Structure formats: C-alpha cells, structure tokens
Amino acid sequence: MEVRTPLLATDVIVRLWEGDSFRGIVLIERKNPPEGLALPGGFVEVGESVEEAAVREMREETGLEVKLSKLLGVFSKPDRDPRFHVVSVVFIGDSEGEPKAGSDAKEVKVFKLEDIPLERLVFDHRDIILRFLGRG
C-alpha cells in the first residue's frame, strides 16, 4: 500500500526593520505558477526542522537573515495550493537589510501593512496575512 501524505512547507511573515523603524513586510513576486505575490517560503527538506527550513528559505528567496519570533499557525486547507496538498507552518520573523530576489522569487517587495495588495496574493496567503493583522 502506498502511503500518501501532504507536503510540508513553511512560510514567514518577515517584518523588515531599519533600526527601530518598521519598514513593512516582505512579499515575493513569484517566477513560477501560480503567479502573483506570496509570503516567502518553501518546502521542508528531509532531516531539517521547520524552523531551519524557514530561515533557509528566507535566505534563499530574499537574501535576508531572519530571526523567527513567533509561530502564527499551521495552515492546512487541502486546496490551498493548486499544484498539490500542502500544509504550511507559518512563522513571524524579523530582519534588517535590503531584500534581494533569489531562488524562485522574481522580485522582492516591501509593503507597509496598509498597502498590502491582498487581491494579488496566491495560495491562502491572504487569509494568513489577515490573521496576522488580527482581521481573520
């Protein structure tokens, strides 16, 4: 019998700072389908903790060293990703510096909380950001 389980991923709401000044959160413009804006993140590799995967994915996609501060939650809607069933462990983290697109990010953008284009977000990232903002 073949054992099938969802794929495990991690996403991070990266709060970007310049000293004590909050610049906004980091979103990526995806290179690959589904196209649109997304939280930076990716799949957990075998032998890696979700925390290690989150920090690695932030480095690969945004060039930022992120310090994880809090677990926002686990998001597991079976249809959240049109490609396959993915469960995502979502963290909140903090970083400083200038993000640079890498890995499967076409572009990296910083948005003030009031300027996040919720209608452009892919997967269930709109729901995740609304929960982060206390509106979901």
Side-chain angles (χ1 to χ4, degrees):
M1 176 171 66
E2 178 186 1
V3 176
R4 293 184 39 143
T5 62
L7 299 173
L8 183 61
T10 185
D11 296 303
V12 181
I13 295 176
V14 178
R15 299 180 294 200
L16 194 61
W17 299 87
E18 190 170 318
D20 292 336
S21 297
F22 176 65
R23 292 180 53 196
I25 67 166
V26 176
L27 296 175
I28 64 162
E29 183 79 41
R30 289 181 49 81
K31 267 189 212 177
N32 304 313
E35 293 178 0
L37 291 174
L39 293 166
F43 294 105
V44 178
E45 296 176 358
V46 173
E48 183 177 52
S49 72
V50 290
E51 294 85 357
E52 291 166 339
V55 170
R56 175 186 52 75
E57 285 288 344
M58 295 312 98
R59 190 178 309 115
E60 289 175 4
E61 287 193 342
T62 70
L64 295 171
E65 293 299 325
V66 174
K67 181 177 181 201
L68 303 178
S69 61
K70 180 179 177 182
L71 174 66
L72 181 65
V74 176
F75 294 78
S76 61
K77 285 176 27 183
D79 62 351
R80 78 180 291 268
D81 188 321
R83 302 167 297 175
F84 24 67
H85 185 175
V86 176
V87 174
S88 182
V89 178
V90 181
F91 293 96
I92 299 169
D94 297 288
S95 188
E96 289 191 73
E98 203 53 48
K100 293 180 176 71
S103 188
D104 62 347
K106 178 168 48 175
E107 204 174 331
V108 179
K109 300 178 181 189
V110 179
F111 290 94
K112 295 199 176 301
L113 298 181
E114 62 272 15
D115 296 333
I116 300 167
L118 295 171
E119 71 285 350
R120 293 199 51 223
L121 294 168
V122 297
F123 309 123
D124 58 350
H125 292 185
R126 179 182 189 279
D127 297 338
I128 293 169
I129 288 176
L130 287 174
R131 184 182 297 178
F132 167 73
L133 295 173
R135 301 189 314 205

